[in-house]
Amino acid sequence: MNTTPDGRPVPPLHADERAMLEAWLDFHRATLALKCSGLKADQLRIAAASPSSMTLLGLVQHMAEVERNWFRRFFAGQDVAPVFGENNPDGFGLHPERGLDEAMGAWQSEVARGRELIADASLDDVGRLRGQGAGHTDDQGVSLRWIVLHMIEEYARHNGHADLIRERIDGATGA
């Protein structure tokens, strides 16, 4: 596997659909981790820009929730509580005692569990949307293909936020 100079996996230029989708998802996961690397605890809590309270630490926590929502709740139908508690269902809220190691551990655990749950599934297999996830569709069924594409979009969007936050913190730019 090829990697970028910063160690992220380069998605293959030629591969089947499943390999391509999973490679892009892994690339974006690695990008979020990269945006958080080398920073002190207080830097990870610096908000993007007023009035937003979004932080890099909050983004990692949020993506743990997103991984749990789409792969465990919606695809696998598991009834699991929010990773960071019922009072923080989107994950953005920061707890004074929770640092990057704990948030990264929870996020990586959700990534690993999601990989396990979809390993033997077809991209055509269907999960069930519920709650807010079903609010914009007439059909509550959602294919794994749609979920993986949505996850790539979700990471790409939030990695753009992470780019801006990281630049604000220490001037670091780049993918």
Side-chain angles (χ1 to χ4, degrees):
M1 173 192 315
N2 292 329
T3 60
T4 61
D6 54 37
R8 291 174 296 152
V10 175
L13 300 177
H14 304 278
D16 66 30
E17 180 184 22
R18 177 70 177 253
M20 186 77 67
L21 290 172
E22 289 181 358
W24 274 105
L25 183 53
D26 285 341
F27 175 82
H28 281 293
R29 287 169 171 153
T31 299
L32 180 58
L34 176 67
K35 290 298 172 183
C36 297
S37 67
L39 295 175
K40 297 175 184 165
D42 62 324
Q43 291 176 306
L44 293 161
R45 294 172 176 274
I46 294 174
S50 185
S52 175
S53 61
M54 187 181 297
T55 65
L56 288 172
L57 182 57
L59 280 172
V60 171
Q61 293 178 170
H62 175 66
M63 292 313 297
E65 295 293 353
V66 170
E67 292 272 354
R68 179 171 279 199
N69 278 338
W70 286 101
F71 294 118
R72 294 181 70 181
R73 288 190 184 105
F74 298 148
F75 185 70
Q78 297 178 354
D79 185 18
V80 290
V83 178
F84 299 103
E86 296 292 336
N87 293 330
N88 192 13
D90 65 5
F92 282 115
L94 302 182
H95 187 279
E97 314 243 335
R98 186 180 309 114
L100 184 62
D101 288 345
E102 183 181 345
M104 279 281 192
W107 174 51
Q108 292 301 327
S109 177
E110 291 302 321
V111 168
R113 187 66 183 124
R115 282 186 178 125
E116 290 171 9
L117 291 169
I118 69 169
D120 295 327
S122 162
L123 290 174
D124 294 322
D125 287 349
V126 175
R128 304 301 296 169
L129 295 175
R130 2 179 212 165
Q132 279 186 311
H136 303 294
T137 67
D138 292 332
D139 179 2
Q140 291 189 353
V142 60
S143 72
L144 179 57
R145 177 180 289 101
W146 191 97
I147 291 170
V148 173
L149 282 166
H150 173 68
M151 291 297 293
I152 293 166
E153 174 272 329
E154 183 85 8
Y155 273 100
R157 181 168 59 102
H158 286 312
N159 282 338
H161 299 137
D163 283 338
L164 294 172
I165 296 169
R166 182 66 190 248
E167 184 175 8
R168 179 168 191 245
I169 292 168
D170 67 358
T173 59

